[in-house]
Short mmCIF file of all heavy atoms in Angstrom, two decimals:
data_model
loop_
_atom_site.label_atom_id
_atom_site.label_comp_id
_atom_site.label_asym_id
_atom_site.label_seq_id
_atom_site.Cartn_x
_atom_site.Cartn_y
_atom_site.Cartn_z
N ASN D 1 24.90 -3.17 -8.13
CA ASN D 1 25.13 -3.46 -9.56
C ASN D 1 24.55 -2.40 -10.49
O ASN D 1 24.62 -2.63 -11.72
CB ASN D 1 24.58 -4.81 -9.84
CG ASN D 1 25.25 -5.90 -9.08
OD1 ASN D 1 26.41 -5.83 -8.74
ND2 ASN D 1 24.47 -6.88 -8.65
N GLU D 2 24.01 -1.35 -10.01
CA GLU D 2 23.47 -0.32 -10.89
C GLU D 2 24.55 0.61 -11.43
O GLU D 2 25.62 0.71 -10.80
CB GLU D 2 22.37 0.44 -10.16
CG GLU D 2 21.25 -0.46 -9.73
CD GLU D 2 19.97 0.30 -9.32
OE1 GLU D 2 19.84 1.45 -9.78
OE2 GLU D 2 19.24 -0.27 -8.52
N PRO D 3 24.27 1.34 -12.55
CA PRO D 3 25.28 2.19 -13.07
C PRO D 3 25.74 3.31 -12.14
O PRO D 3 24.88 3.86 -11.38
CB PRO D 3 24.59 2.76 -14.33
CG PRO D 3 23.52 1.77 -14.63
CD PRO D 3 23.07 1.29 -13.32
N PHE D 4 27.00 3.57 -12.13
CA PHE D 4 27.55 4.61 -11.28
C PHE D 4 27.26 5.98 -11.91
O PHE D 4 27.44 6.22 -13.10
CB PHE D 4 29.05 4.47 -11.06
CG PHE D 4 29.68 5.73 -10.49
CD1 PHE D 4 29.61 5.96 -9.15
CD2 PHE D 4 30.47 6.54 -11.29
CE1 PHE D 4 30.23 7.08 -8.60
CE2 PHE D 4 31.06 7.66 -10.72
CZ PHE D 4 30.93 7.92 -9.35
N VAL D 5 26.64 6.91 -11.12
CA VAL D 5 26.39 8.24 -11.57
C VAL D 5 27.05 9.17 -10.53
O VAL D 5 26.79 9.12 -9.34
CB VAL D 5 24.87 8.60 -11.60
CG1 VAL D 5 24.64 10.06 -11.95
CG2 VAL D 5 24.19 7.64 -12.58
N PRO D 6 28.02 9.99 -10.94
CA PRO D 6 28.73 10.85 -9.98
C PRO D 6 27.81 11.85 -9.36
O PRO D 6 26.80 12.27 -10.00
CB PRO D 6 29.85 11.49 -10.81
CG PRO D 6 29.31 11.42 -12.26
CD PRO D 6 28.51 10.21 -12.38
N ARG D 7 28.06 12.33 -8.20
CA ARG D 7 27.31 13.30 -7.47
C ARG D 7 27.49 14.65 -8.18
O ARG D 7 28.55 15.04 -8.53
CB ARG D 7 27.73 13.39 -6.01
CG ARG D 7 26.96 14.26 -5.14
CD ARG D 7 27.41 14.25 -3.67
NE ARG D 7 27.03 12.99 -3.01
CZ ARG D 7 27.86 12.06 -2.67
NH1 ARG D 7 29.19 12.20 -2.92
NH2 ARG D 7 27.46 10.99 -2.03
N ALA D 8 26.33 15.40 -8.34
CA ALA D 8 26.42 16.65 -8.94
C ALA D 8 27.01 17.68 -7.97
O ALA D 8 27.22 17.46 -6.80
CB ALA D 8 24.98 17.13 -9.29
N GLU D 9 27.32 18.85 -8.49
CA GLU D 9 27.94 19.90 -7.65
C GLU D 9 26.97 20.50 -6.66
O GLU D 9 27.34 21.05 -5.65
CB GLU D 9 28.58 20.99 -8.51
CG GLU D 9 29.75 20.42 -9.31
CD GLU D 9 30.40 21.59 -10.12
OE1 GLU D 9 29.94 22.72 -10.02
OE2 GLU D 9 31.38 21.30 -10.83
N LYS D 10 25.65 20.43 -7.00
CA LYS D 10 24.59 20.98 -6.12
C LYS D 10 23.29 20.17 -6.25
O LYS D 10 23.20 19.43 -7.23
CB LYS D 10 24.39 22.46 -6.45
CG LYS D 10 23.91 22.67 -7.81
CD LYS D 10 23.73 24.19 -8.10
CE LYS D 10 23.32 24.47 -9.52
NZ LYS D 10 23.08 25.90 -9.79
N PRO D 11 22.39 20.32 -5.36
CA PRO D 11 21.14 19.54 -5.46
C PRO D 11 20.44 19.88 -6.81
O PRO D 11 20.45 21.08 -7.24
CB PRO D 11 20.30 20.01 -4.31
CG PRO D 11 21.33 20.50 -3.26
CD PRO D 11 22.43 21.08 -4.09
N THR D 12 19.83 18.87 -7.39
CA THR D 12 19.18 19.05 -8.70
C THR D 12 17.68 18.92 -8.72
O THR D 12 17.00 19.15 -9.69
CB THR D 12 19.75 18.06 -9.71
OG1 THR D 12 19.51 16.76 -9.22
CG2 THR D 12 21.23 18.27 -9.91
N LEU D 13 17.12 18.62 -7.56
CA LEU D 13 15.69 18.42 -7.37
C LEU D 13 15.09 19.37 -6.36
O LEU D 13 15.83 19.97 -5.53
CB LEU D 13 15.38 16.97 -6.97
CG LEU D 13 15.96 15.88 -7.84
CD1 LEU D 13 15.79 14.46 -7.28
CD2 LEU D 13 15.25 15.94 -9.23
N LYS D 14 13.77 19.54 -6.45
CA LYS D 14 13.10 20.47 -5.60
C LYS D 14 13.09 19.99 -4.23
O LYS D 14 12.77 18.79 -3.88
CB LYS D 14 11.65 20.63 -6.08
CG LYS D 14 10.84 21.66 -5.30
CD LYS D 14 9.43 21.81 -5.87
CE LYS D 14 8.62 22.80 -5.14
NZ LYS D 14 7.23 22.92 -5.71
N PRO D 15 13.39 20.77 -3.17
CA PRO D 15 13.37 20.34 -1.76
C PRO D 15 11.99 19.91 -1.36
O PRO D 15 10.98 20.33 -1.94
CB PRO D 15 13.81 21.63 -1.01
CG PRO D 15 14.59 22.45 -2.00
CD PRO D 15 13.85 22.16 -3.32
N ILE D 16 11.96 19.01 -0.35
CA ILE D 16 10.66 18.47 0.20
C ILE D 16 10.40 19.17 1.52
O ILE D 16 11.27 19.21 2.43
CB ILE D 16 10.82 17.00 0.38
CG1 ILE D 16 10.98 16.31 -0.99
CG2 ILE D 16 9.53 16.45 1.00
CD1 ILE D 16 11.39 14.82 -0.97
N PRO D 17 9.17 19.73 1.71
CA PRO D 17 8.86 20.37 2.95
C PRO D 17 8.99 19.44 4.21
O PRO D 17 8.85 18.23 4.09
CB PRO D 17 7.34 20.76 2.73
CG PRO D 17 7.19 20.86 1.26
CD PRO D 17 8.12 19.80 0.67
N ASP D 18 9.21 20.12 5.32
CA ASP D 18 9.50 19.36 6.50
C ASP D 18 8.45 18.41 6.94
O ASP D 18 8.73 17.31 7.50
CB ASP D 18 9.80 20.29 7.71
CG ASP D 18 11.12 21.09 7.53
OD1 ASP D 18 11.83 20.77 6.57
OD2 ASP D 18 11.38 21.96 8.38
N ASP D 19 7.19 18.78 6.67
CA ASP D 19 6.08 17.96 7.21
C ASP D 19 5.54 16.96 6.18
O ASP D 19 4.47 16.36 6.42
CB ASP D 19 4.93 18.84 7.67
CG ASP D 19 4.40 19.72 6.62
OD1 ASP D 19 5.11 19.85 5.55
OD2 ASP D 19 3.34 20.37 6.83
N VAL D 20 6.19 16.80 5.04
CA VAL D 20 5.70 15.96 4.01
C VAL D 20 6.38 14.53 4.12
O VAL D 20 7.62 14.43 4.17
CB VAL D 20 5.98 16.51 2.56
CG1 VAL D 20 5.66 15.45 1.47
CG2 VAL D 20 5.17 17.76 2.39
N ILE D 21 5.56 13.54 4.17
CA ILE D 21 6.01 12.14 4.08
C ILE D 21 6.23 11.75 2.71
O ILE D 21 5.16 11.60 1.95
CB ILE D 21 5.09 11.19 4.85
CG1 ILE D 21 5.00 11.64 6.36
CG2 ILE D 21 5.61 9.72 4.78
CD1 ILE D 21 3.88 10.89 7.07
N HIS D 22 7.35 11.64 2.16
CA HIS D 22 7.63 11.61 0.69
C HIS D 22 7.85 10.19 0.12
O HIS D 22 8.04 10.03 -1.11
CB HIS D 22 8.70 12.47 0.29
CG HIS D 22 10.10 12.23 0.88
ND1 HIS D 22 11.08 11.76 0.20
CD2 HIS D 22 10.55 12.44 2.09
CE1 HIS D 22 12.17 11.61 0.95
NE2 HIS D 22 11.88 12.06 2.14
N TYR D 23 7.84 9.14 0.99
CA TYR D 23 8.05 7.75 0.45
C TYR D 23 7.57 6.78 1.50
O TYR D 23 7.73 6.96 2.68
CB TYR D 23 9.36 7.47 -0.06
CG TYR D 23 10.43 7.30 0.97
CD1 TYR D 23 11.05 6.09 1.19
CD2 TYR D 23 10.95 8.36 1.76
CE1 TYR D 23 12.00 5.85 2.16
CE2 TYR D 23 11.89 8.23 2.69
CZ TYR D 23 12.43 6.97 2.91
OH TYR D 23 13.41 6.77 3.84
N PHE D 24 7.02 5.66 0.99
CA PHE D 24 6.66 4.55 1.81
C PHE D 24 7.30 3.25 1.39
O PHE D 24 7.17 2.18 1.98
CB PHE D 24 5.10 4.33 1.91
CG PHE D 24 4.45 5.32 2.90
CD1 PHE D 24 3.99 6.52 2.39
CD2 PHE D 24 4.35 4.97 4.21
CE1 PHE D 24 3.40 7.41 3.24
CE2 PHE D 24 3.76 5.88 5.10
CZ PHE D 24 3.30 7.12 4.61
N SER D 25 7.96 3.31 0.22
CA SER D 25 8.75 2.08 -0.27
C SER D 25 10.02 1.98 0.54
O SER D 25 10.25 2.76 1.46
CB SER D 25 9.03 2.25 -1.79
OG SER D 25 9.73 3.39 -2.00
N SER D 26 10.84 1.08 0.12
CA SER D 26 12.12 0.89 0.84
C SER D 26 13.08 2.11 0.74
O SER D 26 13.96 2.30 1.62
CB SER D 26 12.82 -0.43 0.48
OG SER D 26 12.02 -1.52 0.85
N GLU D 27 13.03 2.78 -0.41
CA GLU D 27 14.00 3.85 -0.63
C GLU D 27 13.30 5.05 -1.15
O GLU D 27 12.30 4.99 -1.91
CB GLU D 27 15.09 3.37 -1.59
CG GLU D 27 14.61 3.22 -3.00
CD GLU D 27 15.76 3.03 -4.00
OE1 GLU D 27 16.14 1.83 -4.21
OE2 GLU D 27 16.27 4.06 -4.49
N PRO D 28 13.84 6.25 -0.83
CA PRO D 28 13.33 7.49 -1.40
C PRO D 28 13.98 7.70 -2.83
O PRO D 28 14.93 7.09 -3.24
CB PRO D 28 13.85 8.54 -0.42
CG PRO D 28 15.12 7.94 0.06
CD PRO D 28 14.95 6.45 0.11
N LYS D 29 13.37 8.62 -3.56
CA LYS D 29 13.93 9.01 -4.86
C LYS D 29 14.94 10.14 -4.72
O LYS D 29 15.78 10.35 -5.55
CB LYS D 29 12.81 9.48 -5.84
CG LYS D 29 11.70 8.44 -6.05
CD LYS D 29 12.28 7.27 -6.74
CE LYS D 29 11.25 6.20 -7.01
NZ LYS D 29 11.76 4.97 -7.58
N GLN D 30 14.85 10.84 -3.62
CA GLN D 30 15.78 12.01 -3.38
C GLN D 30 15.89 12.18 -1.88
O GLN D 30 15.15 11.71 -1.05
CB GLN D 30 15.28 13.27 -4.03
CG GLN D 30 13.92 13.67 -3.37
CD GLN D 30 13.48 15.06 -3.98
OE1 GLN D 30 12.84 15.12 -5.03
NE2 GLN D 30 13.93 16.07 -3.25
N THR D 31 16.85 13.02 -1.50
CA THR D 31 16.93 13.49 -0.15
C THR D 31 15.96 14.63 0.07
O THR D 31 15.48 15.22 -0.91
CB THR D 31 18.33 13.88 0.21
OG1 THR D 31 18.69 15.06 -0.51
CG2 THR D 31 19.39 12.80 -0.01
N ARG D 32 15.72 14.96 1.26
CA ARG D 32 14.80 16.02 1.61
C ARG D 32 15.30 17.36 1.07
O ARG D 32 14.50 18.22 0.72
CB ARG D 32 14.48 16.11 3.06
CG ARG D 32 13.24 16.84 3.46
CD ARG D 32 12.88 16.55 4.88
NE ARG D 32 12.24 15.27 5.08
CZ ARG D 32 10.94 15.06 4.94
NH1 ARG D 32 10.11 16.06 4.61
NH2 ARG D 32 10.43 13.88 5.17
N ASP D 33 16.59 17.54 0.93
CA ASP D 33 17.11 18.82 0.46
C ASP D 33 17.49 18.80 -1.04
O ASP D 33 18.13 19.70 -1.58
CB ASP D 33 18.35 19.27 1.27
CG ASP D 33 19.45 18.22 1.30
OD1 ASP D 33 19.29 17.15 0.80
OD2 ASP D 33 20.48 18.45 1.90
N GLY D 34 16.99 17.72 -1.78
CA GLY D 34 17.09 17.87 -3.20
C GLY D 34 18.18 17.05 -3.88
O GLY D 34 18.30 17.19 -5.12
#
């Protein structure tokens, strides 16, 4: 039920390093590649 936001043409966030655990909640804020 959340607002639809279309996918951008390229990643908009900084990538996350391979060895970083970036979330412990149910969902991440971003994918590892941004």
Side-chain angles (χ1 to χ4, degrees):
N1 299 324
E2 298 194 24
F4 169 74
V5 177
R7 186 177 285 111
E9 293 183 0
K10 60 182 180 179
T12 59
L13 301 171
K14 184 178 179 180
I16 298 169
D18 291 354
D19 60 348
V20 172
I21 301 171
H22 61 107
Y23 72 111
F24 281 93
S25 59
S26 294
E27 71 170 89
K29 300 300 182 184
Q30 66 172 86
T31 65
R32 198 167 283 272
D33 55 357

